[in-house]
Amino acid sequence: MSTDTTENAPTAAGHGTVPGGIQDIAFATGHYSFDLAHLAEKQGIDVNKFYIGIGQNTMSIPAEDEDIVTMGAAAAQRIIERNGTDGIRTLLFATESGIDQSKSAGVYVHGLLDLPREIRTIETKMACYGGIGALQMALGLVARNPEEKVLVIASDVARYDVDSSGEPTQGAAAVAFLVQADPDILAIEPAQGVYTLDVQDFWRPNHRHTALVDGKFSVGAYLDALVGAWNDYRAHGGVEFDDIDWFCYHQPFTKMAVKAHMRLTEEAGTPLDKAAAAEALAPTFGYNKQLGNSYSASIFLGFLALLDSGQNLAGNRVGFFSYGSGAVSEFFMGVIQPGHRDHLRAEEHQKILDAREPIEYDRYRELHPGTLVQPVENSTTERRTASPFRFEGIDEGSRHYGRS
Ligand code: HMG
């Protein structure tokens, strides 16, 4: 492990160029929190299957007047408040819970935040990989035009059928971050390991609110993809395993990351047992344990938990593994920058978690949309959210959003 935590720590290792990376990052979530103890009680099972077995405590549930747009706008607003809009020429919105087959959810956010018109806005999709795909596209844009910045939003609501094995792994959150050259939080190294395999482990047909999943198969597909992406990363100039200080995995449930770290350490020839793997990853679990799966946002929430954990991380290398079912995955490296502490939002994030309203089983069921998408031409939503933005309803098939 590297131990260089000084102000002289490398900005990024690799191919001699100063890369782009993350300048600022923030999250938002749904209005309600649902403790998995209520689900366990309803199902008549030991809650430790959830708290310990899959490593999840609560999940966020959006109110009737919240969705990926309102959460994404709430997260992005805080990035804009701190950094302004100067230099932002692109807005990428990553999601797999899209609200329209044509229009990017990012365009609604653009309107809500009153962003300058001279911006291109696009939605990206590849299951949970969509956010990292957007990050890589953003890095390409800032490498070409280093004076430009890209606002990236990853926002998702994870829904499975009631009484299915995936039910305790639902959740909701959005992360927004600013990508630019010479970033203050995380510089991303050029080496990438990528891996695509056409597998049917998890998918969501257009007529469904809820995902279809082959749960156990998806766990195996994730682990195989990790090995594939890691080997490709090493074959493309990636650093050695021992040079990595922290690992940040996609966390559909936090125990999945433990399984992943056990597999990767085995592949690297220094196997860790379950307890040691869990201990090594613990600083990345704080937010996902409480928010549940947020699909494209989940890996960034792991990173935010590490950043907000209060340690001096300057110069530390973080190995990121993103997995999107279906399946596309990637392993890459970031170096935490000396000035990262000036940009943290730990208190703000804790307040967001604490502000959620706890609900019990009956209210959770009221908010669950069921399996199939029903045609809705006109509707008005009840005022519930405490977020700065709300989904007001549908008028002649058109979604309407406003400030709360
Ligand atoms: P399951 O089959 O109900 O659970 O669901 P299980 O019986 O395998 O038990 C889970 C763990 O709890 C086991 O530990 C049990 O031993 C333990 P493990 O063997 O795994 O270490 N356990 C207990 N521990 C303590 N006290 C107890 C107790 N009882 C049992 N009393 C499954 C598990 C993951 C299949 C389910 O949650 C699921 O289907 N989830 C959804 C799919 C998923 O998240 N897959 C992950 C990989 S795919 C991915 O990451 C992509 C994704 O995010 C989507 C995207 O890309 O868009 C999903």
Side-chain angles (χ1 to χ4, degrees):
M1 298 240 167
S2 76
T3 52
D4 188 355
T5 58
T6 68
E7 295 293 304
N8 298 322
T11 50
H15 302 245
T17 53
V18 177
I22 295 176
Q23 172 69 11
D24 192 11
I25 178 165
F27 82 78
T29 187
H31 186 70
Y32 298 111
S33 72
F34 179 57
D35 195 314
L36 294 179
H38 301 307
L39 190 62
E41 188 187 346
K42 189 73 189 173
Q43 295 182 351
I45 61 170
D46 181 354
V47 69
N48 284 333
K49 174 172 178 182
F50 301 149
Y51 286 175
I52 298 169
I54 62 167
Q56 291 300 122
N57 295 350
T58 58
M59 55 194 183
S60 276
I61 308 277
E64 291 88 340
D65 55 350
E66 295 179 321
D67 65 7
I68 55 163
V69 170
T70 61
M71 290 191 302
Q77 176 175 257
R78 300 207 308 282
I79 298 293
I80 299 296
E81 276 168 2
R82 197 181 267 186
N83 301 275
T85 57
D86 276 4
I88 298 178
R89 299 269 299 157
T90 304
L91 192 173
L92 300 176
F93 194 110
T95 189
E96 58 175 295
S97 23
I99 41 94
D100 193 282
Q101 297 284 20
S102 168
K103 182 168 174 172
S104 165
V107 176
Y108 290 106
V109 173
H110 182 282
L112 284 170
L113 298 184
D114 201 16
L115 296 178
R117 292 193 183 182
E118 293 73 26
I119 286 180
R120 65 170 76 78
T121 303
I122 311 166
E123 187 166 305
T124 66
K125 176 175 72 179
M126 180 51 230
C128 301
Y129 174 73
I132 294 299
L135 168 63
Q136 291 294 359
M137 288 175 204
L139 290 168
L141 286 166
V142 301
R144 203 166 138 182
N145 292 306
E147 73 287 357
E148 290 190 8
K149 300 175 185 176
V150 181
L151 176 61
V152 182
I153 299 169
S155 181
D156 268 307
V157 180
R159 287 196 182 105
Y160 294 91
D161 278 342
V162 166
D163 295 332
S164 69
S165 73
E167 187 178 18
T169 67
Q170 298 175 109
V175 168
F177 53 93
L178 197 59
V179 175
Q180 66 179 55
D182 284 329
D184 285 342
I185 292 186
L186 185 76
I188 294 170
E189 296 184 343
Q192 301 153 18
V194 289
Y195 187 85
T196 291
L197 184 68
D198 183 2
V199 286
Q200 205 69 352
D201 61 330
F202 165 109
W203 65 105
R204 185 172 66 83
N206 290 342
H207 63 285
R208 291 179 65 108
H209 285 296
T210 52
L212 291 161
V213 66
D214 185 342
K216 299 271 194 272
F217 176 61
S218 75
V219 170
Y222 178 123
L223 296 175
D224 291 347
L226 168 62
V227 173
W230 167 254
N231 287 331
D232 188 57
Y233 170 73
R234 291 287 293 135
H236 284 83
V239 301
E240 289 184 21
F241 184 86
D242 284 348
D243 291 331
I244 306 171
D245 300 288
W246 301 96
F247 290 83
C248 188
Y249 295 91
H250 166 52
Q251 295 169 16
F253 50 97
T254 62
K255 188 74 165 292
M256 183 69 237
V258 176
K259 289 176 193 283
H261 203 47
M262 288 169 72
R263 174 65 74 87
L264 189 63
T265 53
E266 191 185 323
E267 184 70 15
T270 50
L272 291 182
D273 65 17
K274 198 186 282 185
E279 193 185 337
L281 302 183
T284 68
F285 288 162
Y287 294 143
N288 282 317
K289 263 181 187 286
Q290 300 181 69
L291 297 167
N293 194 355
S294 56
Y295 292 156
S296 62
S298 154
I299 188 168
F300 301 105
L301 286 157
F303 177 56
L304 267 174
L306 175 64
L307 280 179
D308 290 348
S309 64
Q311 324 186 42
N312 182 5
L313 301 164
N316 283 193
R317 275 209 179 81
V318 185
F320 292 87
F321 174 67
S322 171
Y323 177 78
S325 281
V328 176
S329 58
E330 178 161 341
F331 195 98
F332 65 97
M333 197 64 51
V335 181
I336 299 184
Q337 297 301 284
H340 72 282
R341 280 176 166 240
D342 299 338
H343 296 267
L344 299 187
R345 298 168 178 273
E347 268 179 44
E348 184 181 308
H349 289 143
Q350 193 55 49
K351 273 190 196 147
I352 290 170
L353 287 176
D354 294 347
R356 291 178 304 166
E357 187 181 328
I359 51 172
E360 302 206 353
Y361 187 81
D362 289 348
R363 179 71 176 127
Y364 154 70
R365 281 301 301 272
E366 254 175 47
L367 288 159
H368 193 285
T371 299
L372 298 180
V373 176
Q374 306 295 336
V376 179
E377 283 297 309
N378 290 299
S379 70
T380 307
T381 55
E382 292 204 36
R383 192 171 284 276
R384 303 272 192 198
T385 184
S387 158
F389 307 101
R390 62 184 300 272
F391 167 51
E392 294 169 338
I394 297 177
D395 182 19
E396 296 185 11
S398 170
R399 293 175 83 83
H400 289 270
Y401 294 91
R403 288 185 174 264
S404 297

